[in-house]
Amino acid sequence: MVYQKSYSGMLEISGDQRALNLRQRQVLIMIDGKRTQDDLEKHLNHLDVAKIVADLEQLGYIHDPESVSTKPGPSAVVHMTKTDASPVTPTQPAQASIDTQKVSGLKEILLDSSKEYLGIMGQNITQKIEAAQSVEQLKGCISLWHMAIRESKMGKPVAGILMEQVQQFLQA
């Protein structure tokens, strides 16, 4: 089965408030409306993907696109895409808010995975990530972080998945 992120799922990925744990976020980020649950299980073989997907669906972060009501009303799922446009002209503070959310979200992915897969050996990388104040500064940390994750014993199997999550977050 193929799942898509709901509006709540998109807010979870891009917002400041986090309700999901790291493993749930990993699965949520990988859900793109194209990958099947089997694909997710192949990429995330260390996780109980079926349980996490069921939990995400029950919590309203994802949905089966074929079961979504097309009639307007409270049960309809709202989709958020890059092409959605606000009738209000974007202002500088709105852009700053988006950048702040992106920095916060990227830092969370990088710091959580550094803590989990690098431990004390990633202290230098962690300090650089924490000191970053912009997306551009974080981009400077990403290659160092990814190389360290790839070289670590625990991180090697998930390095590609984590990098894909970072890239998807940067494109959001």
Side-chain angles (χ1 to χ4, degrees):
M1 178 176 294
V2 175
Y3 288 93
Q4 289 180 335
K5 290 177 192 76
S6 66
Y7 181 73
S8 297
M10 293 299 292
L11 288 177
E12 174 68 21
I13 298 297
S14 63
D16 288 335
Q17 300 298 318
R18 302 288 187 239
L20 300 176
N21 64 41
L22 177 63
R23 297 197 188 296
Q24 290 170 322
R25 284 182 56 76
Q26 285 177 321
V27 173
L28 181 61
I29 289 170
M30 294 289 290
I31 291 173
D32 60 1
K34 298 174 188 164
R35 289 187 178 101
T36 65
Q37 188 169 331
D38 290 339
D39 293 337
L40 294 173
E41 288 172 354
K42 288 176 190 170
H43 289 295
L44 301 167
N45 60 6
H46 67 287
L47 299 179
D48 184 6
V49 174
K51 167 122 177 55
I52 294 171
V53 166
D55 291 345
L56 291 173
E57 185 174 26
Q58 181 181 9
L59 293 168
Y61 290 103
I62 62 172
H63 61 89
D64 175 3
E66 294 178 13
S67 68
V68 175
S69 169
T70 57
K71 297 176 185 174
S75 65
V77 176
V78 178
H79 297 279
M80 187 165 80
T81 64
K82 289 184 179 182
T83 58
D84 288 344
S86 171
V88 179
T89 305
T91 60
Q92 187 62 27
Q95 182 62 40
S97 173
I98 291 170
D99 287 346
T100 301
Q101 289 177 350
K102 214 172 224 190
V103 167
S104 174
L106 276 171
K107 277 187 173 185
E108 182 176 349
I109 293 169
L110 298 173
L111 291 171
D112 287 351
S113 58
S114 294
K115 181 180 176 182
E116 184 169 349
Y117 298 111
L118 301 176
I120 196 163
M121 298 305 287
Q123 187 175 8
N124 187 31
I125 295 168
T126 299
Q127 289 173 346
K128 289 180 181 184
I129 293 167
E130 288 172 341
Q133 298 295 317
S134 69
V135 173
E136 291 305 315
Q137 290 174 346
L138 281 172
K139 284 181 180 178
C141 300
I142 290 172
S143 61
L144 182 62
W145 162 84
H146 187 240
M147 185 170 54
I149 294 286
R150 272 194 343 238
E151 296 300 317
S152 74
K153 183 177 182 179
M154 299 293 291
K156 191 172 190 167
V158 296
I161 295 164
L162 290 169
M163 188 60 177
E164 187 174 328
Q165 290 175 357
V166 167
Q167 289 172 336
Q168 286 180 357
F169 198 87
L170 286 170
Q171 293 171 358

